[in-house]
Amino acid sequence: MSVVRELPRAASAAPSDTALVVAARAGEDWAREALYRRHVPAVHGLAFRLLGRDADVDDLVQDAFVAAFSSLDRLNDPALFRAWVSGILVRRTSKALRRRRLLARLGLSRPSEPVDLDALVSHAAPPDVAAELRAVYGALDELPPDLRVALILRRVDGATLGEIAALTGASLATVKRRVHKAEELLAERFGQEAH
Amino acid sequence: MQTPRRLARWVPSSLTPQRVERGWRAIAARLPPGRRPTPWWRVALIVTLAATATIVGLRARFGAKAPGALDGAVLETAADQQQSLTLADGSSITLEASTRLRLVRVSGKDVRLELEHGAVEARVVHTAGRAFTVSAADVEVVDEGTHFRVAHPGDGSVEVRVVEGSVQIARRDGSGPARMLGAGETWTTELGAGETRTTEPDALGATTDEPPPATPPTEPAPRSSPASFARNAPARLPKRFHALYESGEYGEAYDSLGPHELDTLVANVTSADLFAIAEVARLSGHPKHAAMAFDALRTAHRADPRAGLAALELGRLRLIDLDDPGGAAEAFRDAVTLQTDEGFREDAQARLVQALDASGDIEACAAAKRTYVERHPDGLHAAAVGRSCRPR
């Protein structure tokens, strides 16, 4: 028995992430490149905000995409490619920060240059926003890496606790604890009431 | 806990187009090779892949993971439609407008399609032991891997065009010898008065059938004069070149062309081969020759579906590798004219802004920026374009 179907016309000429992931899994280089070009602005921005400086951002972003493309079969929902590669980036950044902190404590590496707050915060930011960002980033390097990542995701990206848990791979309870502790340390540093 | 506000936009990163390009090259160098590049196919598939998500749903509805669940289904497109079907192994079949295709058999070991009328383009994942056959009228086309098109207007005639790989063509009744058709070759049959005539490709193996013309561009002629790419009878590239290209050995493929004679070669090959030469030159680190080949393609084959992509690639090479932002702007402007895919057109318009910015032509940059913002207010490149064209 034959079934005649008139297929609906596509709403947009741009392929969806699902379509690109399907093609990338089949080994199509152009689909991987399309995914990279589509999502690198968001991923690059996230890396920059987590690190607070431009150094190492490119390497971390490249590592995250290489890891993502190398393990694309593990992505359960192709429509969530951006969230997935962002999670890879967040976890790799945490690991890199931990390694850097350990090497610095052991005297095996020079400490990083302090965050350049003037260069970091947009000159167009409203005064209250600028003040909040300077407070967060001013304390960044003093925070343990896991607290730092949780704080940036919460305070700068406005992520929910559930989103932070998904990105970091930690439990919701752990994320709550980290955010609370980071806020406490921030408040101690500036003598302000935690949010 | 109260959800805080989002402050990310006040912490802008400095992601420039150059950093994006460098990033991709670094990533691509670290990834295992996928398929060899097929830019022309990419153009066609980009346009139709938007329907793939619908097709994925269709597969689920039919329970397509069960073998044979699609057997007997008939797909039909209207006069202004084009749709794609992606099989479980990633093979794709694109139905052109006014096409009716019956899925006789779809399983892991046997795919049989009947083209009742219209045209389909198949991009087949080669699977050992699996037969992939498209029938039209009394002709059977058996795929040997990978990309071909079959057209059957409904008057009994059939045309088969191979883009990559090869197919075997035979009569369904088993009469007459089967024949192989390779990349770049076209085979047609016309039936009338009970006789069969075949139109063979010319002696040099190149097709004499150009793709249907796109909407004629109205912009001024590109910088390169068409006369400089006046074509003689098409030449054939060495077989070794295609084999090296397919296996990803771009350096050796480039060397096999005899780089000192590339000027002559570029002026005398088919559009498909021009694209292959351009890609090989680009991927083997020879941007000047890549630019020459892309320039020849978009100048001498303006109706070719690859022309827009060639102009885009040319612009990127000129901007990033050849330090020629003025030339890049010209190429991107041409790409905007030639591109039929909206996503690529947006990309070309954004790159035009960046090229004009890099060339220092602030007035033209601002005009191009206004055009981008009007056409693509929520475009992918809106942030980067917004930061462009500032007086220095």
Side-chain angles (χ1 to χ4, degrees), chain A residues 121-193:
Chain A
V121 179
S122 167
H123 297 311
D128 59 325
V129 169
E132 183 170 347
L133 288 170
R134 292 174 79 92
V136 168
Y137 279 98
L140 205 68
D141 288 338
E142 296 169 17
L143 296 175
D146 290 340
L147 301 192
R148 165 184 180 148
V149 166
L151 184 70
I152 293 293
L153 291 173
R154 183 73 173 158
R155 280 286 207 107
V156 181
D157 281 35
T160 63
L161 297 176
E163 287 169 343
I164 298 173
L167 285 167
T168 57
S171 68
L172 195 58
T174 300
V175 167
K176 276 186 187 171
R177 201 167 48 245
R178 287 177 182 170
V179 169
H180 185 75
K181 184 69 182 169
E183 296 280 8
E184 271 188 350
L185 291 173
L186 199 66
E188 277 174 24
R189 193 177 189 273
F190 289 99
Q192 294 171 359
E193 188 177 4

Side-chain angles (χ1 to χ4, degrees), chain A residues 1-10 12-13 15 19 26-30 32-33 36-38 41 44-45 48-49 54 58 62-63 65-66 69-70 120-122 124-126 128-129 132-133 154-158, chain B residues 1-8 10-15 19-21 23-24 26-27 30-32 34-35 41-42 45-46 49-50 54-55 58 61-62 72-74 76 78 80-81 83 102 123 316 341-342 351 380:
Chain A
M1 183 171 74
S2 64
V3 174
V4 179
R5 289 264 184 271
E6 186 158 356
L7 299 169
R9 191 169 193 162
S12 162
E28 301 296 346
D29 285 338
W30 67 264
R32 296 194 286 198
E33 185 174 351
Y36 164 79
R37 289 183 186 280
R38 176 175 290 179
H44 190 276
F48 180 71
R49 291 191 297 277
D54 212 29
D58 288 344
Q62 289 162 25
D63 283 348
F65 274 101
V66 169
F69 290 135
S70 300
L120 183 78
V121 179
S122 167
D128 59 325
V129 169
E132 183 170 347
L133 288 170
R154 183 73 173 158
R155 280 286 207 107
V156 181
D157 281 35
Chain B
M1 278 184 196
Q2 179 183 353
T3 303
R5 44 190 181 160
R6 294 180 187 263
L7 307 180
W10 306 116
V11 187
S13 70
S14 57
L15 181 62
R19 281 177 90 169
V20 172
E21 297 298 326
W24 174 247
I27 291 165
R30 291 167 61 184
L31 288 172
R35 295 178 188 281
W41 166 78
R42 176 176 63 180
L45 190 57
I46 285 275
L49 255 184
T54 305
I55 304 299
L58 180 66
R61 282 172 58 194
F62 276 109
V74 175
E76 192 161 14
D80 61 342
Q81 265 188 324
Q83 298 291 350
R102 182 182 301 273
R123 185 73 165 85
R316 285 164 59 179
D341 173 73
E342 190 55 36
R351 290 176 191 278
L380 183 64

